[in-house]
Amino acid sequence: MNEPEGVWQHCTNSAIRRAARQLGQLYDDVIAPSGLKGTQFSLMSQIALAGRDGIPLKPLAEAMVMDLSALGHTLKPLTRDGLVELIADEKDGRVRRARLTATGAARQAEALTLWRDAQARFDAAFGAERSAEMRALLGLVSSPDFAKAFRAAQPIR
Amino acid sequence: MNEPEGVWQHCTNSAIRRAARQLGQLYDDVIAPSGLKGTQFSLMSQIALAGRDGIPLKPLAEAMVMDLSALGHTLKPLTRDGLVELIADEKDGRVRRARLTATGAARQAEALTLWRDAQARFDAAFGAERSAEMRALLGLVSSPDFAKAFRAAQPIR
DNA sequence: TGAATTTAGTGGCATATACCATTATATTGG
DNA sequence: CCAATATAATGGTATATGCCACTAAATTCA
């Protein structure tokens, strides 16, 4: 039974989006009882690391490898629902810092429990070692250095 | 210089989305002159494989690991712009087959040239061998068998 | 054969995410 | 200090993508 030919076998971009769709569904199904999507959980978890001071949107976007305006839009449902708040920066009037509200922190903690289940399933299905290796490779692809190397690579001549 | 802590170091779902955003930008920049986005190029290339008969939306969605309705939505800009057409199936009145128009095929061919450059850059920056390995791993994650294994890993209670 | 069920698609709604233009603040150079 | 420039964020617009409800057509079964 031959697998049908697919672009993803040749195109890394297609392959990664396809896998992201699959993983998105699998993780979402597990953490859905918390009322959060996987993307929201990721974002809130990253914000949580900043603690009470919060983190300015610009560096947050960079850490997430996300466009700044996309981050702003993605935050809207979260601020609307009172899970995240944007606070002014003391020093720089342009800056807004994202911070979890008490409700948001509780929600994130709740989702964290479910996430552990999802991640454990992934490790079980994929192998814990390959899982860590995969994250390391994905981390490389996501790095500014990789982007630089990609852009600098010589086009076909 | 310590890298800041990030969720993506622990969560494979976060890691893959983050890498997908990065790759999306990099590939998009390269194939933009064709007027297509990376996602559109992927989809059209997959449709192209079906040739003149086209391919019903359901199996196309399955191949792309995409929700059927999401596929329908994604196809809209392409049908609107006359790059893809949906034709009736001879045997089954429920089925619509997606097929590239002549214009769409030409556009896809044009984007293909640019894509080769993008993929070559990826291979150069990441290593051709690791690149192929990565696609293979992503293919595993995208497979129905992996989804089954993930869901079976632990019962929800 | 006709009713019940399954299957393929469509449309509405919501989030995710990008690019562009604009605004509000800083920072810098003269 | 002030004008020019740079930076952070916001809002508009468009595509990407998922869930749910609904329709149409095929299949199943009594």
Side-chain angles (χ1 to χ4, degrees):
Chain A
M1 197 191 102
N2 300 332
E3 277 304 308
E5 180 80 5
V7 255
W8 57 86
Q9 291 169 323
H10 312 289
C11 174
T12 309
N13 188 41
S14 301
I16 205 167
R17 293 195 78 101
R18 188 160 167 267
R21 285 190 292 267
Q22 171 100 284
L23 270 197
Q25 300 244 346
L26 295 173
Y27 276 70
D28 273 5
D29 283 351
V30 176
I31 71 172
S34 70
L36 295 178
K37 308 293 198 68
T39 49
Q40 300 178 323
F41 170 71
S42 296
L43 190 49
M44 288 176 67
S45 296
Q46 194 61 29
I47 294 171
L49 292 174
R52 298 197 175 286
D53 291 335
I55 174 175
L57 299 191
K58 187 80 195 312
L60 177 57
E62 273 161 12
M64 298 293 290
V65 189
M66 192 181 280
D67 179 85
L68 177 59
S69 75
L71 172 62
H73 292 146
T74 302
L75 281 172
K76 256 176 217 157
L78 297 173
T79 54
R80 180 200 58 201
D81 296 344
L83 302 173
V84 172
E85 55 191 348
L86 297 182
I87 59 184
D89 185 274
E90 305 267 311
K91 312 292 179 57
D92 192 329
R94 296 167 298 183
V95 169
R96 296 271 181 281
R97 290 172 166 267
R99 177 173 74 178
L100 295 190
T101 63
T103 310
R107 189 74 73 86
Q108 191 273 336
E110 187 189 341
L112 182 60
T113 302
L114 297 165
W115 169 80
R116 271 194 260 271
D117 179 25
Q119 187 59 40
R121 285 172 190 241
F122 183 89
D123 290 354
F126 201 63
E129 194 171 325
R130 272 204 302 185
S131 171
E133 194 185 312
M134 167 88 107
R135 284 193 300 282
L137 288 178
L138 292 170
L140 280 182
V141 169
S142 308
S143 72
D145 279 356
F146 175 80
K148 191 172 306 186
F150 181 98
R151 295 203 178 93
Q154 286 310 311
I156 303 170
R157 73 283 285 338
Chain B
M1 201 192 100
N2 300 333
E3 278 303 308
E5 181 79 6
V7 253
W8 56 84
Q9 291 169 321
H10 312 289
C11 174
T12 308
N13 187 41
S14 302
I16 206 166
R17 294 195 77 98
R18 188 162 167 266
R21 284 190 292 267
Q22 171 100 282
L23 271 198
Q25 301 243 356
L26 295 174
Y27 275 70
D28 273 5
D29 283 352
V30 176
I31 71 171
S34 71
L36 294 179
K37 308 293 198 70
T39 47
Q40 301 178 323
F41 170 70
S42 296
L43 190 47
M44 287 176 67
S45 296
Q46 193 61 31
I47 293 171
L49 293 174
R52 299 198 174 285
D53 290 337
I55 174 175
L57 299 190
K58 186 84 197 308
L60 177 57
E62 272 161 12
M64 298 292 292
V65 189
M66 192 181 281
D67 180 86
L68 176 60
S69 76
L71 173 62
H73 293 146
T74 302
L75 283 173
K76 260 183 212 151
L78 298 173
T79 53
R80 180 202 58 200
D81 297 346
L83 302 173
V84 172
E85 55 190 349
L86 297 183
I87 60 185
D89 186 274
E90 304 269 310
K91 312 291 179 55
D92 192 329
R94 296 167 298 183
V95 168
R96 296 270 180 278
R97 290 172 167 267
R99 175 173 76 174
L100 296 190
T101 62
T103 309
R107 189 74 74 83
Q108 191 273 338
E110 187 188 341
L112 181 61
T113 302
L114 297 165
W115 169 81
R116 272 195 261 269
D117 178 24
Q119 187 60 39
R121 285 172 189 244
F122 183 89
D123 290 352
F126 201 63
E129 196 172 324
R130 269 203 304 185
S131 171
E133 195 184 313
M134 168 87 107
R135 283 194 301 282
L137 288 177
L138 292 169
L140 280 182
V141 169
S142 308
S143 71
D145 279 355
F146 176 80
K148 191 172 304 187
F150 181 98
R151 296 203 177 91
Q154 287 176 29
I156 301 174
R157 17 145 197 256

